[in-house]
């Protein structure tokens, strides 16, 4: 087969692999969200202890990450100094623990579909915090786009049949903490040239999260669990749930590493629609027409945001290639000038 055929096969293989990574990530993310809802919801498994559930996840993930990094040496640890750990990893761990705690708590009060609609505010939060921390520059068109997303989510909230203000506050708090964490990762770690894969990320961050969560756990949930004599730890339920959470971290690395963060953002929109459909058809959550109208507006805003990011990445790539061509041309001119000088 000629070069054209080989190229076509290569492109086809890459496309198939990309869709496979997307499918794995969507499946695991979907599973973790629905599984957490099942455990925490009072009408299902009825174990409404979000801090405890998050601590189980963090304990399991940190233990498995320790075995993979320190015992089996599957992954090399990052060159981590005490100063970087205290100034960078600890704040990120604190924000991550708060984000997980609040987002898991929201499942007790809100439907899966409505939570996914509120999560559409993530680009708004990331951009706003990036501007506040001077990581991103203020742009009028981007802010207009952010306002359109916010407007859509506000309409979806207005049409929510089982609106719970406390649950909304918890989810919005989770979005803010997660957005701040993402911005700080760029500022604190990327600036120092440190990059984590999910195993090393869990190796350093998960124990930190566990330690932070233990403080509210001792005050809020430990007394209730101590007095609940009927509870017996279900190793199968919590073990498989924690394994799914760990696998999701690996899937994120696989998806972003083999494709891009932008691909994950686009796949996230598909996952949200699937979860809304699942929440309505299987869990029997009420999804109103106003819900869908509002989320539809927010969806268009997020889609435009992802499109703008893609165009910016393409422009950056073109600029980079043009710079390389200029550099190469400059080197050739210098070499020719040097040759002429030597001939003279």
């Amino acid at each position: 087969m000629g070069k054209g055929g080989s190229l076509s096969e290569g492109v086809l293989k890459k496309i198939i692999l990309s869709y496979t990574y997307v499918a794995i990530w969507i499946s695991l993310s979907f599973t973790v969200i629905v599984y957490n809802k099942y455990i925490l919801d009072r009408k299902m498994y009825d174990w409404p202890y979000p801090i405890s559930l998050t601590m189980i996840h963090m304990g399991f993930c940190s233990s498995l990450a320790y075995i993979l990094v320190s015992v089996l040496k599957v992954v090399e640890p990052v060159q981590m100094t005490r100063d970087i750990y205290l100034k960078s990893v600890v704040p990120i761990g604190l924000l991550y623990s708060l984000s997980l705690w609040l987002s898991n708590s929201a499942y007790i009060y809100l439907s899966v579909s409505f939570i996914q609609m509120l999560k559409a505010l993530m680009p708004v939060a990331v951009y706003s915090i990036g501007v506040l921390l001077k990581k991103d520059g203020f742009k009028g068109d981007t802010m207009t786009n952010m306002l359109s997303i916010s407007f859509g989510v506000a309409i979806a909230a207005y049409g929510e049949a089982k609106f719970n203000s406390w649950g909304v506050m918890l989810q919005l708090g989770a979005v803010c903490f997660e957005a701040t964490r993402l911005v700080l990762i760029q500022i604190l770690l990327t600036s120092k040239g440190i990059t984590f894969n999910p195993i090393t990320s869990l190796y350093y961050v998960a124990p930190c999260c566990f330690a932070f969560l233990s403080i509210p756990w001792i005050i809020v949930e430990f007394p209730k669990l101590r007095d609940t004599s009927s509870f017996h730890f279900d190793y199968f339920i919590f073990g498989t749930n924690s394994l799914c959470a760990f696998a999701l971290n690996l899937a994120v690395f696989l998806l972003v590493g083999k494709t891009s963060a932008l691909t994950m953002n686009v796949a996230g929109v598909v996952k949200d629609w699937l979860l809304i459909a699942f929440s309505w058809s299987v869990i029997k959550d009420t999804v109103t027409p106003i819900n869908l109208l509002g989320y539809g507006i927010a969806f268009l805003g997020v889609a435009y945001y992802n499109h703008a990011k893609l165009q910016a990445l393409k422009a950056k790539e073109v600029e980079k290639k043009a710079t390389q061509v200029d550099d190469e041309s400059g080197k050739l001119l210098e070499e020719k000038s040097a040759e002429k000088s030597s001939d003279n």
Side-chain angles (χ1 to χ4, degrees):
M1 190 177 286
K3 288 184 178 180
S6 300
L7 181 63
S8 298
E9 283 181 8
V11 170
L12 183 62
K13 185 179 178 182
K14 189 175 181 181
I15 291 170
I16 292 171
L17 282 173
S18 296
Y19 276 107
T20 303
Y21 300 140
V22 167
I24 291 170
W25 177 78
I26 288 178
S27 301
L28 285 168
S29 182
F30 189 101
T31 302
V32 169
I33 288 169
V34 174
Y35 211 159
N36 286 351
K37 173 67 175 175
Y38 168 75
I39 291 172
L40 295 165
D41 197 298
R42 295 180 189 277
K43 295 177 183 177
M44 298 184 196
Y45 189 77
D46 189 23
W47 199 70
Y49 301 104
I51 307 174
S52 301
L53 182 64
T54 310
M55 287 182 70
I56 291 169
H57 288 172
M58 291 298 101
F60 181 89
C61 289
S62 57
S63 300
L64 203 52
Y66 178 81
I67 292 169
L68 291 171
V69 174
S70 297
V71 180
L72 300 179
K73 300 188 185 300
V74 174
V75 178
E76 286 292 325
V78 176
Q79 294 299 318
M80 181 69 63
T81 64
R82 181 185 177 86
D83 184 62
I84 291 174
Y85 186 82
L86 292 175
K87 291 182 180 179
S88 300
V89 176
V90 169
I92 289 167
L94 173 61
L95 291 166
Y96 194 38
S97 63
L98 291 170
S99 170
L100 291 172
W101 170 18
L102 297 184
S103 62
N104 281 336
S105 298
Y107 286 112
I108 300 172
Y109 304 97
L110 302 175
S111 66
V112 170
S113 57
F114 187 44
I115 285 174
Q116 299 316 120
M117 293 175 189
L118 292 174
K119 283 182 179 179
L121 287 169
M122 184 61 73
V124 180
V126 171
Y127 177 71
S128 301
I129 292 167
V131 170
L132 286 173
L133 297 179
K134 297 181 179 179
K135 181 71 179 66
D136 290 315
F138 179 84
K139 295 178 182 176
D141 55 343
T142 305
M143 183 52 71
T144 303
N145 185 22
M146 298 297 107
L147 289 173
S148 71
I149 296 172
S150 304
F151 179 66
V153 173
I155 292 174
Y158 177 77
E160 175 61 18
K162 296 178 181 178
F163 186 88
N164 183 291
S165 55
W166 177 240
V168 171
M169 287 174 63
L170 289 170
Q171 185 55 48
L172 292 179
V175 167
C176 289
F177 284 125
E178 178 63 10
T180 308
R181 182 182 78 91
L182 293 173
V183 174
L184 282 187
I185 285 174
Q186 290 182 305
I187 294 173
L188 298 177
L189 295 181
T190 309
S191 62
K192 294 179 173 63
I194 296 174
T195 53
F196 284 149
N197 64 47
I199 297 175
T200 53
S201 175
L202 291 171
Y203 180 79
Y204 290 107
V205 177
C208 189
C209 288
F210 187 91
F212 279 121
L213 288 166
S214 65
I215 299 168
W217 179 76
I218 291 169
I219 299 168
V220 178
E221 292 186 2
F222 175 68
K224 294 178 184 177
L225 285 166
R226 184 182 54 198
D227 297 337
T228 308
S229 56
S230 60
F231 173 71
H232 298 287
F233 191 85
D234 192 327
Y235 287 96
F236 176 77
I237 289 290
F238 293 106
T240 52
N241 180 248
S242 298
L243 191 60
C244 287
F246 183 81
L248 178 59
N249 278 280
L250 298 183
V252 170
F253 174 66
L254 188 67
L255 181 61
V256 176
K258 300 296 182 180
T259 56
S260 67
L262 187 60
T263 301
M264 193 175 82
N265 288 342
V266 175
V269 174
V270 176
K271 179 204 71 179
D272 291 344
W273 280 112
L274 289 173
L275 278 166
I276 290 168
F278 179 86
S279 177
W280 171 73
S281 60
V282 179
I283 304 177
K284 303 300 179 184
D285 287 332
T286 304
V287 180
T288 68
I290 299 176
N291 269 151
L292 294 177
L293 172 65
Y295 185 66
I297 294 170
F299 162 74
L300 290 174
V302 173
Y304 179 78
Y305 172 75
N306 287 331
H307 173 73
K309 283 185 73 174
L310 179 60
Q311 295 303 114
L313 285 172
K314 284 182 177 178
K316 200 172 183 180
E317 191 66 28
V318 169
E319 186 181 342
K320 187 178 178 181
K321 286 180 180 178
T323 304
Q324 288 176 347
V325 169
D326 289 342
D327 289 343
E328 287 173 4
S329 300
K331 286 178 181 177
L332 285 171
L333 287 171
E334 286 177 7
E335 286 173 4
K336 285 181 179 179
S337 297
E339 286 174 6
K340 284 180 181 179
S341 299
S342 60
D343 289 340
N344 293 334

